Amino acid sequence: MSTPTKPHKLNIDLIDSFEKIPVKIFDSSDAGSLFVAHEIAALIKEKQAKNEKCVLGLATGSTPLRLYTHLVNLHKNEGLSFKNVITFNLDEYYPIERDALQSYWSYMHRHLFNQIDIFPENIHLPNGELSKEDAKKACEAYEQMIESAGGIDLQILGIGTNGHIGFNEPGSSIFSKTRLVSLDNSTRINNAYEFQNISEVPRMAITMGISTILKAKKILLMAWGLKAPIIAKSVEGAVTEQTPASILQQHNNCLFVIDESAAAELTRIKLPWLTGEIEWTAKMIKRAVVNMALKLNKPVLSLTTHDYNENGLSDLLVEKGDAYDINLQVYYMLRDSITGWPGGKPDTDIPGHPERSKPYPKTCLIFSPHPDDDIISMGGTFMRLHDQGHDVHVGYQTSGNIAVTDEFVTRFLDFAVGFENQFGIDNKKSEQILSEAKHFLASKKKNEIDTPEIRAIKGLIRRCEARATCRYVGVGDANAHFMNLPFYETGTIEKNPYTEKDIDITIELLQKLKPHQVYCAGDLADPHGTHKVCLDIVLES
Ligand code: F6R
């Protein structure tokens, strides 16, 4: 009998056989944004050297925010000039007033144009203020203007979770031009965070068409975080108008710039054993086997040699033994990741237990982005930790004031006024604050930012709720730490990038408590990203 040899590997780049658009993966959205900023800067300078205009197609949304910060920094710190730049934005809501906080016109001026030296006459965005008839004409004119400027040199794109580019929703024709479109319900839900509530999200938009986008000489599509499924579909799936971004497979100079999370569903990341030789670490074995078990809907211990071979894992069998042994190894790894003793089981030494039994009791710190994520996302663990005798603290990272409605505040104001009257409390300062707050809310305009006093009251309401939670769990008031991270305090849905101040506050709490365990509560699917920022702050601290 001949000894088994390793299966022969073909000498081709297997990644290419799955990915039909070039993809560059960065370890963070910030690094990816910096790369795109440098691409733009290089093009601007190249054009400047030739005395030419540089025509940029720009996008809005949460994706390019860091890109714009980097461009502003390049302008302020490294003298990058935008005097030769002409811009065309992809889209605008319809109808919307130009000056509305949520218009893309306001967004672009706030995040980029007001902070660089671009000539105002070189800025173009679709106009959301026109009548429908005039808007149609303006769409034709927009196409004309792009052409007269010499076409778009570099188009920046984001991508919707349904695969839209610009506001070209699934079903948009490959031949579509700049036009009025009606927004997909999923897009309105995704973008509701920019507005007070979903009913205020415009039902229509003006967008460049797919053919307009495809005419750009170069395209950079950026995607971060939770866009993994649609990125894989667009890059590896069939070209279809049902996934507008997949049509970019037909462009000859398009690059996807994504972070690791957005890359998670690409075959080379998700099933790397299918795209090349890999090192079979314990973690990789676990991933491969769990993935196969889920796909076949079979318990890990029932997987057979046949299953391994059929699912591209014959390599693993060759290197690590038979299916039975590998199944057991993975089963033990899964078993040892589960516990009813999140703080460790005292006075027992269980090998492979996910947490140390000593020291006991432990100091545990739960970071909760808003004053309710502790109980929402890890309420069971929170209660267990406390019930099992640990000293549990909660760091409420932001005030959460933006989520409190004006109606709710009015109710509390009524209570406070009633309380004063009931007990004959005569406090001039308090009376003044209460009457000013009531007056402000009664005459508050749409989109008007709350006064610091109203924000403080809203924050206080949420603090009281958080304290109630702690009391319910059995944790004392002194263990609830309200951090009020400053990045959150803009008074608007859009938050500032975090700074050293946020990090310092976090470090201070960590140093004060010296916790044995740190938990980060929250849900990274949260579209407005506060949970992600809060996690990044903890990791950096
Ligand atoms: C924005 C645009 C849209 C967004 C997309 C992703 O001008 O045209 O296609 O790029 O909806 O939005 P974010 O970046 O907010 O996830």
Side-chain angles (χ1 to χ4, degrees), residues 104 148 222 238 275 280 365 420:
Y104 288 163
S148 316
M222 306 193 293
T275 58
W280 283 112
L365 171 57
E420 285 192 338

Side-chain angles (χ1 to χ4, degrees), residues 420-439:
E420 285 192 338
N421 292 343
Q422 181 81 27
F423 297 103
I425 295 168
D426 185 17
N427 180 328
K428 288 273 165 293
K429 177 133 195 245
S430 150
E431 254 169 48
Q432 188 193 341
I433 293 174
L434 289 173
S435 97
E436 279 175 8
K438 283 195 81 160
H439 181 258

Side-chain angles (χ1 to χ4, degrees), residues 161 190 225-226 522-532:
T161 47
N190 281 344
L226 297 156
D523 170 8
L524 296 180
D526 186 341
H528 62 76
T530 293
H531 290 189
K532 172 77 171 71

Side-chain angles (χ1 to χ4, degrees), residues 361-379:
K362 292 189 174 65
T363 302
C364 308
L365 171 57
I366 298 172
F367 281 108
S368 176
H370 303 100
D372 58 8
D373 296 307
D374 48 348
I375 203 71
I376 290 174
S377 54
M378 52 172 289

Side-chain angles (χ1 to χ4, degrees), residues 166-195:
F167 276 137
N168 295 285
E169 301 287 24
S172 299
S173 158
I174 190 165
F175 302 111
S176 53
K177 296 189 168 163
T178 303
R179 69 203 185 288
L180 258 173
V181 291
S182 83
L183 292 177
D184 213 65
N185 207 34
S186 65
T187 301
R188 293 187 65 236
I189 293 170
N190 281 344
N191 291 11
Y193 74 93
E194 296 168 10
F195 294 80

Side-chain angles (χ1 to χ4, degrees), residues 234-281:
S234 309
V235 172
E236 299 187 358
V239 177
T240 158
E241 287 170 348
Q242 290 311 314
T243 308
S246 69
I247 299 175
L248 297 171
Q249 291 180 21
Q250 297 183 344
H251 194 277
N252 60 11
N253 193 2
C254 172
L255 173 71
F256 277 27
V257 177
I258 64 180
D259 67 358
E260 283 173 357
S261 323
E265 292 288 323
L266 291 174
T267 306
R268 68 163 130 157
I269 306 292
K270 192 175 178 197
L271 313 168
W273 45 91
L274 296 183
T275 58
E277 205 150 352
I278 58 156
E279 197 191 333
W280 283 112
T281 58

Side-chain angles (χ1 to χ4, degrees), residues 58-65 68 89-92 104 107-108 156-168 187 190-191 193-194 207 213 222-224 227 527:
L58 298 178
T60 51
S62 60
T63 307
L65 281 172
Y68 296 143
N89 262 79
L90 275 170
D91 41 20
E92 176 61 282
Y104 288 163
Y107 171 109
M108 287 307 301
I156 303 299
L157 294 178
I159 182 171
T161 47
N162 61 4
H164 72 212
I165 46 177
F167 276 137
N168 295 285
T187 301
N190 281 344
N191 291 11
Y193 74 93
E194 296 168 10
T207 181
I213 293 171
M222 306 193 293
W224 327 123
K227 302 274 172 71

Side-chain angles (χ1 to χ4, degrees), residues 177-443:
K177 296 189 168 163
T178 303
R179 69 203 185 288
L180 258 173
V181 291
S182 83
L183 292 177
D184 213 65
N185 207 34
S186 65
T187 301
R188 293 187 65 236
I189 293 170
N190 281 344
N191 291 11
Y193 74 93
E194 296 168 10
F195 294 80
Q196 306 279 9
N197 62 56
I198 176 92
S199 66
E200 288 180 23
V201 183
R203 293 184 183 273
M204 287 190 275
I206 300 173
T207 181
M208 281 186 196
I210 307 242
S211 81
T212 328
I213 293 171
L214 288 178
K215 271 190 239 157
K217 291 165 199 141
K218 181 173 177 173
I219 298 176
L220 292 176
L221 181 146
M222 306 193 293
W224 327 123
L226 297 156
K227 302 274 172 71
I230 195 62
I231 287 295
K233 211 167 162 192
S234 309
V235 172
E236 299 187 358
V239 177
T240 158
E241 287 170 348
Q242 290 311 314
T243 308
S246 69
I247 299 175
L248 297 171
Q249 291 180 21
Q250 297 183 344
H251 194 277
N252 60 11
N253 193 2
C254 172
L255 173 71
F256 277 27
V257 177
I258 64 180
D259 67 358
E260 283 173 357
S261 323
E265 292 288 323
L266 291 174
T267 306
R268 68 163 130 157
I269 306 292
K270 192 175 178 197
L271 313 168
W273 45 91
L274 296 183
T275 58
E277 205 150 352
I278 58 156
E279 197 191 333
W280 283 112
T281 58
K283 216 171 146 189
M284 193 59 90
I285 296 174
K286 181 172 153 194
R287 250 177 73 188
V289 173
V290 168
N291 177 74
M292 170 169 51
L294 288 171
K295 186 173 147 211
L296 300 178
N297 203 12
K298 263 182 149 184
V300 165
L301 290 177
S302 306
L303 295 168
T304 62
T305 304
H306 180 72
D307 293 331
Y308 277 75
N309 285 331
E310 287 273 287
N311 287 280
L313 294 175
S314 59
D315 248 21
L316 177 57
L317 292 179
V318 172
E319 258 187 56
K320 297 284 172 189
D322 67 9
Y324 181 81
D325 289 335
I326 303 174
N327 289 351
L328 265 183
Q329 183 191 345
V330 172
Y331 168 74
Y332 290 140
M333 280 160 84
L334 291 171
R335 186 197 62 187
D336 293 342
S337 67
I338 301 165
T339 177
W341 296 84
K345 196 164 187 179
D347 303 326
T348 40
D349 189 17
I350 311 169
H353 192 275
E355 179 54 305
R356 312 147 285 176
S357 59
K358 288 189 189 120
Y360 178 83
K362 292 189 174 65
T363 302
C364 308
L365 171 57
I366 298 172
F367 281 108
S368 176
H370 303 100
D372 58 8
D373 296 307
D374 48 348
I375 203 71
I376 290 174
S377 54
M378 52 172 289
T381 307
F382 185 5
M383 292 168 93
R384 277 263 157 129
L385 286 169
H386 173 263
D387 294 348
Q388 291 171 354
H390 301 288
D391 183 23
V392 188
H393 294 254
V394 189
Y396 293 104
Q397 294 174 279
T398 70
S399 70
N401 56 18
I402 212 79
V404 181
T405 63
D406 294 344
E407 291 72 32
F408 212 59
V409 177
T410 310
R411 231 161 85 182
F412 277 87
L413 291 176
D414 282 347
F415 176 85
V417 171
F419 183 86
E420 285 192 338
N421 292 343
Q422 181 81 27
F423 297 103
I425 295 168
D426 185 17
N427 180 328
K428 288 273 165 293
K429 177 133 195 245
S430 150
E431 254 169 48
Q432 188 193 341
I433 293 174
L434 289 173
S435 97
E436 279 175 8
K438 283 195 81 160
H439 181 258
F440 174 81
L441 288 184
S443 56

